[in-house]
Amino acid sequence: MALIVQKYGGASLATPEKMLFVADRIIKEKNKGNQMVVVVSAPGDTTDNLIEFAEKLAKEPDSRELDMLMATGEQQSIALMSMALIEKGYKAKSFTGMQLGIMTDTKHTKARILDIKGAGKIKQALKDGYICIVAGFQGMTQDEQVTTLGRGGSDLTAVALATAIKADVCEFLKDVPGVMTTNPEICKEAKKIDFLSYDEMLELSSGGAQVLYNRSVEFAKNYGVVLHVRGTFTDKTGTIIKKEDSGMEKTVVSGITYNKKEAKITIKGVPDRPGIASYIFNKIADGDVNVDMIIQNVSDKGMTDISFTVFRKDLGKAKKLLDPIVKKIDAKGYFVDENIGKVSAVGVGMRTHTGIASAMFKALAEKKINILMISTSEIKISVVVLEDQVEDAVRALHAAFKLGKKKASAE
Ligand code: ASP
Ligand code: MG
């Protein structure tokens, strides 16, 4: 018998039929003798729809009230799911974040979990034979204000709860069989990855793969919670995400990830003096714009060019910040390249294998894909290429590192 936390996303809960399917999926695990705690997101597009409604009433809705509103989405799911389970003859009970004492800081719409005071309530309900259905995404502050954890935050609820009740595993049920070597929609050779380290998962998601909320993976890493990303429609094992072990290093590259929605900004004629880069990037960070890659060119006559990438959706904000920055540092100006994307190869094996970068560049060169920027970390190599070459680059790298299905069946 295991204590299992399962998390279901909004897409799996969008209609009564889907809810009933999920109810049966939960029952299947319960009937094996497991204790089940299930974290659910709001049904379908509920959260988006609520935000859209709010934005028709207020340009920037008050964040306390926005949390109060958004938290209702998950409350619908817990009640509906519990009803479905009870109808099928099982004992089930729903819990809101407040009822469980999921304590957070006071940062509305992006709160951090500090403690789960009511973990004992779950333990008791499990002992009494209940399936516990918990609202994801929501918590409360010390003075009982409703908070939410950031978009996609139900993943974080699941991991925090798994930690608090010492669950054996925290499962994320998806419409894919696990974390894939790349997006199967653009590369049909993509296959399921069996094991990933926390760091690989973090790099894959920051590179663009939308699998788990990054903060939930960080939380799991800090507390050593084993994560299992698996398919809703299959019993097969999916991808296990856990602490790195020596076996993982055998795979040099685990996955190829990409993000087409980036933009490159180049500041021209930046005076090459200590403190200038710090000034630029502090101002940009203060303006709430995330900078990804940064490149500074060789200095010529005391002047240099600095290029960096941002998410395209932040471009408007970035431009507003840049006008005064350029003036203040006395640079020549800046220009923007909107049609770029980033492709990354991720794998812990890069630590011990050499030549990965050159293999990557060769594969891209053979497809005549020009590299605009390069950045590396210990377990990731990223390149910026033109947006319309991103998909070709993904396929080329997926093949070059032999991540495709064929290899899997030959093993
Ligand atoms: N319902 C929230 C959202 O859509 C939380 C979640 O889905 O995890 O962001
Ligand atoms: Mg959602």
Side-chain angles (χ1 to χ4, degrees):
M1 189 186 80
L3 171 50
I4 300 177
V5 172
Q6 281 196 329
K7 184 259 170 178
Y8 290 89
S12 314
L13 307 165
T15 63
E17 294 71 31
K18 289 186 176 177
M19 287 234 184
L20 288 168
F21 183 89
V22 168
D24 286 334
R25 185 77 173 77
I26 297 167
I27 287 169
K28 199 151 72 181
E29 292 300 329
K30 169 80 179 163
N31 286 347
K32 288 181 195 159
N34 297 313
Q35 291 187 314
M36 299 301 295
V37 177
V38 180
V39 175
V40 286
S41 295
D45 297 328
T46 306
T47 313
D48 286 332
N49 295 340
L50 290 170
I51 294 171
E52 206 177 293
F53 196 134
E55 285 175 347
K56 288 204 171 111
L57 310 179
K59 238 192 278 138
E60 264 185 58
D62 181 82
S63 58
R64 175 187 184 275
E65 303 308 331
L66 195 57
D67 274 351
M68 197 70 111
L69 178 72
M70 288 195 294
T72 63
E74 273 66 16
Q75 193 165 337
Q76 295 173 26
S77 291
I78 53 170
L80 292 165
M81 185 52 70
S82 301
M83 284 172 202
L85 290 164
I86 293 166
E87 179 68 17
K88 287 176 185 286
Y90 286 78
K91 285 170 87 176
K93 201 185 253 183
S94 62
F95 296 87
T96 64
M98 292 101 251
Q99 285 174 326
L100 277 190
I102 299 184
M103 307 308 295
T104 73
D105 63 16
T106 57
K107 293 209 181 62
H108 281 294
T109 74
K110 44 179 179 291
R112 286 189 172 266
I113 296 180
L114 304 173
D115 187 19
I116 301 187
K117 282 198 176 144
K121 286 188 198 170
I122 295 275
K123 287 280 196 188
Q124 187 57 49
L126 289 171
K127 230 185 243 160
D128 296 339
Y130 284 94
I131 298 171
C132 298
I133 311 293
V134 177
F137 184 49
Q138 51 175 260
M140 72 171 176
T141 64
Q142 195 83 44
D143 53 2
E144 298 184 350
Q145 304 300 313
V146 176
T147 50
T148 63
L149 309 175
R151 297 304 307 274
S154 299
D155 288 354
L156 186 56
T157 307
V159 176
L161 197 57
T163 308
I165 63 174
K166 300 195 171 63
D168 295 298
V169 63
C170 185
E171 299 185 347
F172 295 85
L173 290 102
K174 303 264 172 194
D175 55 6
V176 284
V179 183
M180 307 295 284
T181 49
T182 195
N183 182 359
E185 278 166 30
I186 68 162
C187 178
K188 51 183 188 319
E189 271 78 44
K191 67 170 210 263
K192 188 198 79 188
I193 302 172
D194 293 333
F195 294 100
L196 284 172
S197 69
Y198 297 114
D199 288 332
E200 283 173 311
M201 188 68 249
L202 287 167
E203 292 282 26
L204 283 172
S205 359
S206 71
Q210 283 170 346
V211 184
L212 295 176
Y213 186 34
N214 249 357
R215 279 169 59 196
S216 70
V217 182
E218 278 160 14
F219 200 104
K221 181 184 172 186
N222 289 339
Y223 291 92
V225 183
V226 176
L227 306 180
H228 184 182
V229 178
R230 63 190 308 191
T232 308
F233 308 108
T234 165
D235 276 341
K236 289 204 182 112
T237 307
T239 305
I240 305 284
I241 303 160
K242 57 177 190 176
K243 209 170 127 230
E244 190 176 326
D245 63 38
S246 51
M248 289 180 180
E249 283 191 351
K250 293 201 185 103
T251 324
V252 182
V253 172
S254 295
I256 309 293
T257 179
Y258 67 94
N259 182 351
K260 282 195 194 173
K261 301 213 167 67
E262 300 215 2
K264 183 172 116 184
I265 298 172
T266 301
I267 311 182
K268 297 281 295 171
V270 178
D272 195 4
R273 284 199 310 270
I276 294 281
S278 150
Y279 178 82
I280 297 172
F281 292 107
N282 272 317
K283 281 281 173 215
I284 290 174
D286 288 348
D288 218 17
V289 171
N290 265 324
V291 169
D292 184 13
M293 280 189 211
I294 302 176
I295 286 183
Q296 177 171 331
N297 272 343
V298 179
S299 179
D300 182 24
K301 300 190 189 79
M303 297 277 210
T304 184
D305 293 347
I306 294 181
S307 296
F308 57 95
T309 60
V310 299
F311 288 127
R312 218 173 287 160
K313 68 170 172 43
D314 286 341
L315 202 50
K317 261 198 280 183
K319 283 183 183 167
K320 269 198 205 114
L321 295 165
L322 277 163
D323 290 321
I325 291 175
V326 163
K327 235 193 203 147
K328 173 87 184 179
I329 62 173
D330 209 17
K332 288 218 177 84
Y334 71 92
F335 64 87
V336 175
D337 190 349
E338 288 197 40
N339 302 312
I340 58 143
K342 182 178 68 169
V343 181
S344 313
V346 175
V348 287
M350 285 184 199
R351 288 209 194 96
T352 43
H353 293 74
T354 53
I356 310 305
S358 59
M360 184 160 171
F361 304 153
K362 183 165 167 252
L364 295 171
E366 277 168 1
K367 295 278 173 208
K368 304 211 167 12
I369 296 169
N370 192 27
I371 300 170
L372 307 172
M373 290 170 104
I374 301 167
S375 88
T376 62
S377 80
E378 222 189 345
I379 63 165
K380 179 174 79 172
I381 303 171
S382 300
V383 293
V384 167
V385 300
L386 289 178
E387 184 188 354
D388 57 13
Q389 293 187 315
V390 164
E391 294 189 8
D392 276 343
V394 168
R395 286 186 285 262
L397 296 178
H398 197 268
F401 292 114
K402 300 189 174 49
L403 300 178
K405 279 186 178 137
K406 278 205 195 87
K407 184 184 162 239
S409 56
E411 272 172 0

